[in-house]
Amino acid sequence: MTTEQQKAEIRMSFDRPGAEVCGDLAAHWMNHTDRRKIYKGQAKVLGLQTDSMVRFFTIEEVVLFEDSYTRERWPRSRSLAIASLSPGEVISFMSQGQHVLTFIKTQGAENIMFSSLQEIDRFGDPLRGEGHILTTSSVAKIVGLTHGMRGQLTPIHFKGDRAFLLATGARELSNEELDALEKELMEDFESLRSTP
Amino acid sequence: MTERKFGGDYNPYEDYTIVFTTRRGEHYAAQRFARLFKSWPPEKQTKVAYDCLKKGFTPHLVVNYWITDEDSRQRVKLWCEGRGIKVEETPDEETKSRRARSVLATETQLIDQFSPYLSQLSMAKLLTVKKYRNATAEELQLLIGGTYRLLGDILGPRRHYRREAQQPKFLPLPELPDELFSDDLVIQVLYEHERSTAVPLYNQDPDSLFRYLREIKQTSQHPLKTDFINKLIEHFSAAENLAVSGIKGLIAGSQKDVPNEDEVSLSEFPSRHQREYAFRFLNKSVGRIDLLIGAPRTRKSGAAVFALEAAGAKATVLICPSGINKELWKREIQEKYEEEVEVLIVESERELRSLAQRGAPLRPRYLIMGYQLLSRLDINETPSMFRSLRAKLGLDSLLADEIQLAKEPEAECTKQLYALSRELPENAPRIAMTGTVIINSIEDYDAPLRILLPYRYRQPGDFTRALRNDPELVHTFLVGEELVTRWTFEEVFGQRAPVEYRVEPVPFTPFHLSVYNHVYLDDTIEDQSKRGFLRQTALDPLLIRKHYYPNHIRREIEKLRLKLGERQDDRERKITEARIQALEERLSKVTTLINPNEALSQLSQAHDQFIRWNLEQDENVKFDEDFLTRLDFDKLALWCFFNLQGGVDELVRLSHNRALQKDWVGKGGLYSSKYIRLREQLDEYKKSGDVKVIIGSGFYQSYVSSGIEDVLEEDELAFLSLYDYLRSWYGEAAELKIDGKVSIEPKAGELAERERIRRAWRTDPKYQFMLTTMRACRLGIDLSILPIRANDQIKKVVMIGLDDPDTYADKEQFLNRVEAGDRTLPVELWSYRTTNPEQPRTLRYGFIDHGIAQALEFKRLLSQLAQDGIPLTEEEETFLKSHLSSSRVRIELYPKTPLTYLNMDFFPKVRGKGAKAIIKLYQEAGFEGMTNADFFAAYYPQIEELGIAGQNARAVAEVIRRYQALTGKGHLRIGSIGAGSGILQNTLGEKVINVDLLKEILQVAKAKQQVDGDYITAEAASSPFPAGCFDVTDFSLAVHWTGNRAEYSERISALQELNRITRGLVTITIPHSYLTPVQFASWRSTLEEYFGFRFRDDLPSGLLRATDFRTEPISWIFNMEKVAQPKEGFSRSSLDFGFERVFDIITYSRENSGEKSISIRPYLPHKEFEIVDPGSGSVHKLVYQPTDVDVLEKALSEREARLTSSEVLTLSAEEFGTFRRLVREVRSLWGLKNNDAERLSLQALDLWLKEGYYRHDAVRIWSELKTIVREIHEGSNQ
């Protein structure tokens, strides 16, 4: 899978109305304006790239912030920053001067906040019972996102199922991808040489 | 520790320890003491400040207010930083950096100049020795640590930390300021840096090193600089010229195995890095000792032999792994000497004894022993035996190979090796070597360093204690003292033929994946086995089949039932019962995967689908287990695999359906996806014929009960191992195998089997494939391909790891087996990882192979971080705390606090151990080198009053008052057994006879007494009092310290003794978590029936709980009257505690304490209590009436009077963190001054503590606190 293909996949997954995305992303989701109404969805696995390892969580709960609400509530700050991202990009904002919350952009200024994640795996060994719950502000903390910082999602496979890996900085490439990239570059190089 | 004096002509101002030890007069004494302190000259201030800080004075007070001299203050601050003592509130990142900059302000230029060249550590050393050159060696270590952390605050250690080792660079010597070179200590740091940077270059190209040095010498004008460079040139020239007579100049080295002598290309001995090593070894400041940590195959043994010879050793005792290694060492040694030297191998204890008694006819140059032999000796006899061995053979030096085998302090071989080293003279040369980084934790250094420096570190843990348990100092210490030499392969040999690392994703076949998922989801596997099960399943499903085979499970259950019949204690019984239950569950799951009666019909349905599929979709499709799994007959395939001996094949045989039998292909036992992939790869190599392949795996032969010859004869579940497959695929002659079954013992006149195979592999191109276990293929085995004519056709060496081992060291060892200094063949390293057959070229996670790879990387990183002194991130700490269950890791990675030491080391060691063991423990060194007695006496009283002991004492005091009222007696003679710091006496406000085991704590009790009491040191089980001398005897929170062993029950004696010395009331209390209600009932009936006590209805017994603020369980209380003499005839176990249960609770709460909740210690001044009788459920209220001189009241009022941040330090960490945050919040909200903000926050926190819940959601706590603060603020404004 090339970088372009990955980008396309991320776009395909997130360039959709937020309600749809939420349903495909988390076990439960709600709209920020009405938090009492909880919808059910299909939970995906999210890998978080920390300083020293990747930890895996199922997305238990997300909160949807609709485009209109975001623009009305944060007209000059958050909404502008989110609108300037491409779908599937992740950004963190500090809320009330304490918690750094993490959002995925979908369309326009619409965005989804990670609200609750549950750890499922410890070095390939399944975690029994309750597991480790991550609250909304811990996501940014363990990935290393600070206010206004962006993160990248990479499509990965977790036990063969589609999942996403959230990391700051550059997107991670697999060995095969690196090989392919090198091959592509070499081909480009060869074609350059052969053209007079 | 000096003995403390109380009373008499004692002047407290002479001895500042009194300020700490007497709590009652603390505030007063501190003020007076501070005045005295300030009058001293700066040097004395600094020295006393260190002492005060060691004794636990409030650092903020000492550093900021007492020390008058600014320089001294900075120095003490830095010292505190090095010890991890927080001087002020924890600064946030920005202030930290600002502070660091201001402290290091004068050095910023130097930092900028050096940071591209020096590692953070060297830089810290440089700055420290430059600034604090008068400090003692011990202080200097701590100061370096402090500077290191400060530098980290500026540079950001984690941001600049690369996962690879920092590559040192030569300093730009000509550009450095000249004045630097006028300081000896600075020169020493710079010199050590330049020397270690120069070693690789010297080894590979000495001419260019000398050229470089001469060039910079010319450009450096300053004479001091020139001297510095001259010294470097001299070092390497002298190393170059180091010669030792009797040593051969040319040796075969790794080419010893070459059969034809003409083909051996000799290599120089000693090579340059060996020579430099020996030269440095001879000139070390710490003495002639070294811990050589070099990558495998970096010619460590030659270096050690040469260094010892250069040091003038005449007879060396060499300890190495047993078996083949001893012979290899003999060969190694003998080839290095011009004339034949005597090398004696000791195989048995008998031989060793006879050597010690009679000596040897020829004095050996080397005496070789294995670790195994050492382990078998008796430690009581060995010191004298080693002594006479030394005298008889003239042993004068020690060489220990693979020292990581002696890193467990409790292991017999470690003790023996230490004893052996201790028998050698103090200045004898000693070298310990290891091929892998031995550090999984800091304590792993302890034993090796003690063996090297036996006169300096005498007891286990001495070295670790010398490091003050602070991981960030380890590296400083080791490198600073030149204790360790490190070599990487690249440093020694430079660039080699390429090594290619490849991760090979191996897609699971559908059936293999289905078995894996079954095991993954299986809840009946014990936690600790799960990982092993998954790893074996990922390699070959057949490896775990045994655990699911019904007959086998039934046999296991029977065995366990038999075990239940034997005598077992409760805990073992519970475990066995749980295992039986799990196995029964597994059995029922496995047998009912499908209805067995429908198996045949399902199979024929599948066959129908196969026929259709074959016609319509794909004519090449195979009718096998994978096909069944793909078409949703996975349960059928699994059922057959687990329940039938022959798997689906057997069901096919039973079906009598000819067409089906004809179509069925089956997998024929080859279920492993990895083996299938391996065969594809090997086929290619077989065809080309120019590649040698080593296949390594940890598990390939587990549970294979028989080989290919007698398959299916001995064991109904026997199956083919990978070796069997290799032989059936490529013929008997092409493969070799090294594993645990291949003998390492040489037979008469012949080589050992393993050695024969090893040589055949190196020299004979016919053997193309070799199968090894990771375990057998470690430690010292040379499998590199020899550059001889016969091997000319070999173009490449491939190593295939079928699964990753548990530790990074093992992996590295395996990978380095084919390395050699003269290797010319390229190497490919393949790691197989089973994964899903999804789209290729994506990142894959989630299967056990990925997990193990991640875990290895994580472990490697943590160990490297610990060694390099890089602090862990908060997330890593949390992860470590919650996910690595071993408390060892936690303790080693984090500096101990008095509280963690008390809870995690001290209490577990005294609980249920009995007086003798406790007295012994008191005398041992514990926290920070203090004896446990001093530690306990100094620390425990601090936490006692507001802790469980204080709560308990208030309740007991009220019980005693009630008893007084009930009986109408005027004055009671009260005895408190296990009185501690006299808490009952102070709470009750009456004279008590305080009895305790520990003299020191009674001294503390006397010092803080509110009313005059008596103090007697005695054991509970044998007190010096006449019979019936007490009206009331209190035995509070002490009975759980007594031992209850079969041969002698101290607990029973103590309880009988209580009966003897009392004529009225006996009160016993036990911490609430140590008894279950059922155990309480058992205790109660035993005490009533056999110990002559009667339970009083008007003074109830049961669970004592505090009820004001919030309900908190405190203890189990027994209030009894003596009515008769004790009797015999009860069971000792009826007086047991549920300690195991305590550990369960701790583990449980640890497992579940995620980031959502915080726990707060019950530091509340409870006064209202109730006693709940678990039998009847009746509740009795108790309200404590404070005395005139109540300690608690006083402490609380003092606390309210002095609301400073230093006081808040007595809060728990979580509270403190919340407090700081609240202060910041309050300051920013209303712009208050710091003092006012602190006062307000503390009020809010106190209020919340009183009204809050025991456990709470972290987010809610914060919002609640903010509301409370707001309310108080608004209230005060109105």
Side-chain angles (χ1 to χ4, degrees), chain B residues 955-963 1065 1067 1099 1117 1119 1171 1182:
Chain B
V956 171
E958 207 45 50
V959 168
I960 293 173
R961 282 181 197 152
R962 257 195 207 189
Y963 177 74
L1065 177 73
T1067 302
L1099 291 173
I1117 188 164
N1119 293 314
I1171 297 174
L1182 282 178

Side-chain angles (χ1 to χ4, degrees), chain B residues 501-519:
Chain B
Y501 295 85
R502 303 182 66 146
V503 175
E504 176 71 2
V506 178
F508 272 120
T509 57
F511 177 68
H512 192 172
L513 181 61
S514 142
V515 180
Y516 181 90
N517 281 339
H518 185 83
V519 176

